[in-house]
Amino acid sequence: MSRKQVSKPKKRIRSKRTLFKSRVKERGKSNFRGSRSTSAGPKRRSKNSKQSADKQLSKNRKQTVKAESKNVQSILHSLYREAVYSGGEALVEKWMPDGMLLPDVTCEDIIQAGLAYYRSHMLQLAGVSEIRDLLWTAIVEKRPLSLVRLGDGELLSLAYDTVMSPAEVDELGAFLPYAGVPVPDASVQRSLIDAIKEADYIGVPVSRKPAFQMLMFRICKHYQLPIREMKLTTSTINFSLYYTGYLIPLLYGRRILLIGNKAVSTAQVLREKGINVTGTIYPVSNFSDIEKVLASCCEYEYDIALVAAGVPAVVICQRIASTYRKVAIDIGHVADEMLKNEAAPG
């Protein structure tokens, strides 16, 4: 019996070239994985470090701002205390007799006592009810009446290069060009003084701040305005009439002329209230427009002129009353209030 030779399965022989490619491929994968895993760690650490640094920087900034704010507040409180002292108790010290004390009496107590002493020197201002009654009587009886107001715009215009230097006025009155006075020259001042002298009622400031009442007294002295002979009310009488609900009822059943840059929009608000606005005159940019405005008044039939025209309103109101025998009211920024709050009193 012949023996069959059993052949062992042959091993698959890989060529050197195939083996080289395989090893390179495996090595490449290994290197790729290794490089990927080794580079991710530093990147994450770098990102975390940057976030930590940003948080610390933000925290430092907040602490710095808080410290600076606290320092500023401390300085402001210190300046406030010094200002209160300088304007009050320091003056008491100045006039206190040598070697004397005044226990239990404050600067405010002294001021109150002084005001009581000077009460006979004070001027009475017409209140809102009195002005309302005066306007009503003038309207019913068809008599002329001008109600003008002196605020910081009018007073600074009169103070320009007279009782104050131009530089001082420029500092306090940067708004003057908007109020219709680009340059308050002598002709502007002359027009204002003439109107103030002839106006029926003049609103004056009750604030004793530098650009208000204290400046007004200097101006009256400089221009020789007889303040004790003038008929005075407050410079905010326009707002008082409006917010007490007195102004709007005065207009019902009357023919109204509106003058000023917002005359058209204000007329629309009043017409929606049932008020008969017969005309609008605009713009009023400065004093050079006054004569043109006054000439335009002839074109309309009206009983009351409401004027919102900045500083020129003083002259316009006085001239309407004296020339056309009408009631003229300087309403000023009440025109803005009418536009903002259409459901206003009245």
Side-chain angles (χ1 to χ4, degrees), residues 61-77:
R61 283 176 178 169
K62 288 179 180 178
Q63 290 175 345
T64 301
V65 169
K66 186 176 180 180
E68 289 177 350
S69 176
K70 187 175 181 181
N71 187 41
V72 168
Q73 288 178 356
S74 177
I75 292 172
L76 290 175
H77 285 311

Side-chain angles (χ1 to χ4, degrees), residues 294-322:
L294 292 171
S296 299
C297 290
C298 299
E299 301 172 11
Y300 303 98
E301 294 291 332
Y302 60 98
D303 304 301
I304 305 170
L306 301 180
V307 185
V311 179
V314 175
V315 178
I316 292 171
C317 284
Q318 187 276 317
R319 294 274 298 276
I320 287 175
S322 62

Side-chain angles (χ1 to χ4, degrees), residues 131 146-155 158 179 192 195-196 199-205 212 216 231-241 307-318 328-336:
I131 294 297
S146 57
L147 175 60
V148 305
R149 301 175 305 105
L150 302 182
D152 51 352
E154 291 78 13
L155 296 172
L158 291 170
L192 278 173
I196 292 169
D200 294 298
Y201 272 85
I202 304 158
V204 296
F212 290 93
M216 180 187 69
K231 296 177 181 178
L232 305 176
T233 184
T234 65
S235 58
T236 56
I237 188 64
N238 54 334
F239 289 106
S240 298
L241 287 168
V307 185
V311 179
V314 175
V315 178
I316 292 171
C317 284
Q318 187 276 317
I329 306 171
D330 176 5
I331 63 169
H333 286 293
V334 161
D336 298 304

Side-chain angles (χ1 to χ4, degrees), residues 95 109-124 208 217 228:
W95 297 107
D109 295 331
I110 295 170
I111 291 173
Q112 288 178 350
L115 287 174
Y117 177 82
Y118 281 105
R119 189 168 185 81
S120 61
H121 293 260
M122 296 180 185
L123 300 177
Q124 182 67 54
R208 292 175 70 89
F217 294 142
R228 293 190 174 275

Side-chain angles (χ1 to χ4, degrees), residues 89-100:
E89 299 296 349
L91 296 175
V92 176
E93 285 181 24
K94 177 181 177 181
W95 297 107
M96 184 70 67
D98 291 339
M100 303 291 287

Side-chain angles (χ1 to χ4, degrees), residues 8-302:
K8 295 181 180 180
K10 295 181 179 179
K11 291 183 179 180
R12 188 177 178 182
I13 300 173
R14 301 168 71 180
S15 68
K16 290 183 178 180
R17 184 175 181 181
T18 303
L19 184 62
F20 175 77
K21 286 182 177 181
S22 175
R23 288 178 178 175
V24 169
K25 185 176 181 181
E26 292 297 324
R27 190 179 293 121
K29 289 181 179 178
S30 175
N31 288 342
F32 177 75
R33 286 193 297 268
S35 63
R36 184 178 180 184
S37 62
T38 56
S39 63
K43 284 183 179 180
R44 280 196 293 269
R45 286 196 296 272
S46 175
K47 185 177 181 180
N48 291 338
S49 298
K50 186 175 185 304
Q51 289 176 343
S52 178
D54 289 343
K55 287 181 179 179
Q56 186 62 41
L57 181 60
S58 176
K59 183 178 179 181
N60 292 342
R61 283 176 178 169
K62 288 179 180 178
Q63 290 175 345
T64 301
V65 169
K66 186 176 180 180
E68 289 177 350
S69 176
K70 187 175 181 181
N71 187 41
V72 168
Q73 288 178 356
S74 177
I75 292 172
L76 290 175
H77 285 311
S78 177
L79 290 172
Y80 173 77
R81 288 192 298 269
E82 184 61 29
V84 170
Y85 166 75
S86 298
E89 299 296 349
L91 296 175
V92 176
E93 285 181 24
K94 177 181 177 181
W95 297 107
M96 184 70 67
D98 291 339
M100 303 291 287
L101 293 178
L102 187 60
D104 303 322
V105 179
T106 66
C107 175
E108 188 171 352
D109 295 331
I110 295 170
I111 291 173
Q112 288 178 350
L115 287 174
Y117 177 82
Y118 281 105
R119 189 168 185 81
S120 61
H121 293 260
M122 296 180 185
L123 300 177
Q124 182 67 54
L125 305 181
V128 63
S129 298
E130 183 179 350
I131 294 297
R132 184 272 315 268
D133 292 343
L134 289 165
L135 289 169
W136 177 258
T137 301
I139 293 167
V140 171
E141 297 180 357
K142 300 187 181 301
R143 290 192 292 103
L145 189 148
S146 57
L147 175 60
V148 305
R149 301 175 305 105
L150 302 182
D152 51 352
E154 291 78 13
L155 296 172
L156 287 170
S157 298
L158 291 170
Y160 188 86
D161 208 20
T162 55
V163 300
M164 294 176 71
S165 69
E168 289 177 294
V169 173
D170 289 342
E171 181 182 352
L172 294 172
F175 61 90
L176 284 177
Y178 167 77
V181 192
V183 179
D185 57 22
S187 64
V188 167
Q189 293 168 339
R190 204 160 40 243
S191 297
L192 278 173
I193 291 298
D194 290 343
I196 292 169
K197 287 180 177 179
E198 297 297 325
D200 294 298
Y201 272 85
I202 304 158
V204 296
V206 295
S207 169
R208 292 175 70 89
K209 288 181 179 179
F212 290 93
Q213 196 178 107
M214 303 314 292
L215 179 57
M216 180 187 69
F217 294 142
R218 293 168 61 192
I219 286 170
C220 287
K221 186 175 182 180
H222 176 81
Y223 290 100
Q224 298 182 338
L225 290 172
I227 190 168
R228 293 190 174 275
E229 299 173 15
M230 296 177 182
K231 296 177 181 178
L232 305 176
T233 184
T234 65
S235 58
T236 56
I237 188 64
N238 54 334
F239 289 106
S240 298
L241 287 168
Y242 184 62
Y243 283 114
T244 52
Y246 289 160
L247 180 60
I248 299 300
L250 289 173
L251 310 181
Y252 284 114
R254 314 296 169 187
R255 298 167 299 177
I256 309 301
L257 175 65
L258 288 170
I259 300 173
N261 294 339
K262 296 182 179 179
V264 173
S265 50
T266 307
Q268 182 178 350
V269 171
L270 293 180
R271 283 172 179 144
E272 289 173 357
K273 288 178 173 289
I275 294 171
N276 181 20
V277 178
T278 57
T280 57
I281 299 175
Y282 63 93
V284 185
S285 302
N286 50 55
F287 269 68
S288 63
D289 291 330
I290 290 177
E291 295 303 326
K292 181 174 63 177
V293 168
L294 292 171
S296 299
C297 290
C298 299
E299 301 172 11
Y300 303 98
E301 294 291 332
Y302 60 98

